[in-house]
Amino acid sequence: MKKFKIEIILMGVLAMMFASCSDFFEPNNDTTLNGDRYIKEGSELYSGFLGIITKIQAIGDKAIYLTDMRGELLEPTENTPADLYSIYNYDDDLSGNTYADPAKYYDVIIACNDYLQKAKEYRDTHVTTVDDDDYRGLISSTVRLKTWTYLMLAKIYGQAIWFDDPMQSMKDIVSRTPKNLSELVDECDKLLNTGFDGINGTYNMSWNEWLDPANGATSTNDEYKRWNMMVPGYFVLQAEIALWKGDYQKAATTILGEMSRTFALAEYQGNVANIKYMRSGSYGSNYGQQYDSEMPMLTATESVIMYDYKYNQQNSLLNHFDRSGSYMMRASVPGSKRFEDTTFNPSADATAIKTSDARFRAIQEIEKDVEYAIRKYRGFRKSGHTVAHDDTYIMIYHTSDLYFMAIEALNNMGRFEPASVLMNTGVDPFYGAGVVLGEQWQGLNCNWGLWTTLYAGFRRTYADNGVRGILGLGKRDMWQTPEDIKEEIIAEQRLEGLSDEDKIKKHNDIELVKEAFLEFPCEGKTYPLMIRVAKRWNDYSFIADFVGQKYESDLAKQAEVKAKIMGGAYFVPWDLQGKSSSH
């Protein structure tokens, strides 16, 4: 029996959240987390944590503006404000730039530290009334949010000031020495696995059980289940951290283990068109549904930042991207044309003059070869989101992230066959029923195929069809053996001087980056991936080449940007110890 009277807490917190319509879940509201004035009652353990989520909402779209505007796809329009233009131009001095200012990321960290301290103080004095499972879940969730926030700072800025003690504002920390990318990744790994108050990042808060106490963990309410996706899971954070650290075994074991475990769940057996974390069934034919729907798809989403304009929860993605809004950012012509380029994006039809890729629907052709807009967040259909509401959700991690992390890890372990299979056709057509695969396939068990439980004789209707196979695309050229190495590619991808094995790894890494351009437009993910691959091979030239293509109409600017990238200016420059922060 619950020690805590959840029904009473639920009534109080939901009244705060929904009856007032704005105050509790308002991203600009600072009343939820303010030092000594919260966690005086048990319900505030929960409402205090949800206050951190409002801080997360305030940063949900920042990575998209900061990395994609400097990346391979986006460019300004006639309406682009000066601060955003400075990001695009790779300006060296961004003092006072409202987009570049990292203060809102530090607001999240300050809120996490404060919550951890106050939650522990409350629990220590109310040991018999605080539910142990909920306490572990809330603390662990806060640890993961703090880990994710620092990981975002590391990927965007390449540096951050690490602190664990409660602060009130960014002004309290500017005198401290920032840590670099590698140091931050190590700290994130330590925090995730050490945690706070003896609780690491492996515990989950069952929000559906808390919100629906009558049905407990068996609640089938999809809205309640989405609450469980407010925080990235331990496995996905651990896998990404492992990739940054070069621990490919841990990354592969972690990500493949969770995917295989999920595929084996009873709810995904039989005639199930949508299997969580799997590119199978209707994933391809209904591609884009995850952007059209009012709520994120449970089977395609690992974690998500939710908004609802009715409660004053909004971001500004549609205002930035949509032509009916302020239209401040659009897709460049070179970035858009990659989708239909049969060399860059192979077609299943060898005679095709252009590739038909469902992912290209994320971009709207206004005038062929002249202007392309982003419609990804408005949705691909008329039933999508509106600029007036501007409350489209932002996925933190989803099915595609898991596949790409798995492929990256497998490739850099030298497990080239499964890396190629996951990139292309998927396990299903490759993995015959009952076939025993070699050591390279460790972690990809029978649950990826049609025969999910061979010993019980069970067969599912849909199974893994890979990144490209599920979309009916041609195979990407993922090398597996020295015989696959193409001489004309060696110079193009600067593979000279590498062993055959490293030639294969680097080539496949670059192919993964190219595929990411098509899979993750405007999600704030392609530039960090490019940086990770470039650091691995100490070669930033491919970043300069891909990014430089969108500056083709201004050769002087193109040369300047490429030179800056080659000189190390791939992170957003911000003087953490200056006085340019907004607070």
Side-chain angles (χ1 to χ4, degrees), residues 279 282-295 297 300 358-362 375-381 383-385 393 395 471 519:
R279 291 175 79 102
S282 61
Y283 186 97
S285 59
N286 290 335
Y287 184 82
Q289 184 179 346
Q290 61 265 48
Y291 304 109
D292 292 327
S293 58
E294 183 179 354
M295 292 290 183
M297 292 177 62
R359 297 173 296 188
F360 192 32
R361 286 182 285 173
R375 65 177 174 188
K376 181 171 188 171
Y377 290 99
R378 176 164 55 85
F380 302 169
R381 301 175 179 87
S383 60
H385 305 276
Y393 49 82
M395 286 183 280
L471 299 169
E519 188 70 34

Side-chain angles (χ1 to χ4, degrees), residues 332-385:
S332 64
V333 173
S336 301
K337 294 178 75 171
R338 293 186 184 114
F339 287 85
E340 295 184 329
D341 184 341
T342 57
T343 301
F344 190 93
N345 185 17
S347 171
D349 180 0
T351 65
I353 59 174
K354 68 178 182 180
T355 300
S356 178
D357 188 337
R359 297 173 296 188
F360 192 32
R361 286 182 285 173
I363 296 174
Q364 181 182 13
E365 182 183 286
I366 307 303
E367 183 179 352
K368 186 174 179 59
D369 297 338
V370 175
E371 184 176 9
Y372 296 84
I374 299 296
R375 65 177 174 188
K376 181 171 188 171
Y377 290 99
R378 176 164 55 85
F380 302 169
R381 301 175 179 87
K382 291 182 179 179
S383 60
H385 305 276

Side-chain angles (χ1 to χ4, degrees), residues 221-265:
N221 189 304
D222 284 353
E223 183 177 352
Y224 295 164
K225 288 181 179 179
R226 290 187 180 93
W227 280 58
N228 290 333
M229 300 190 299
M230 290 189 296
V231 182
Y234 170 85
F235 82 98
V236 71
L237 288 169
Q238 182 63 83
E240 185 175 4
I241 288 169
L243 287 173
W244 281 103
K245 297 184 71 170
D247 190 344
Y248 307 117
Q249 176 68 59
K250 177 178 281 190
T253 300
T254 303
I255 210 79
L256 295 177
E258 181 61 20
M259 293 174 79
S260 295
R261 184 197 68 80
T262 303
F263 298 163
L265 295 175

Side-chain angles (χ1 to χ4, degrees), residues 49 55 205 220 339 379 399 418 436 449 459 487 515 546:
F49 174 81
K55 306 289 185 182
M205 172 66 192
T220 58
F339 287 85
T399 295
V436 178
R459 189 179 192 278
E487 290 300 319
E515 191 67 25
F546 284 132

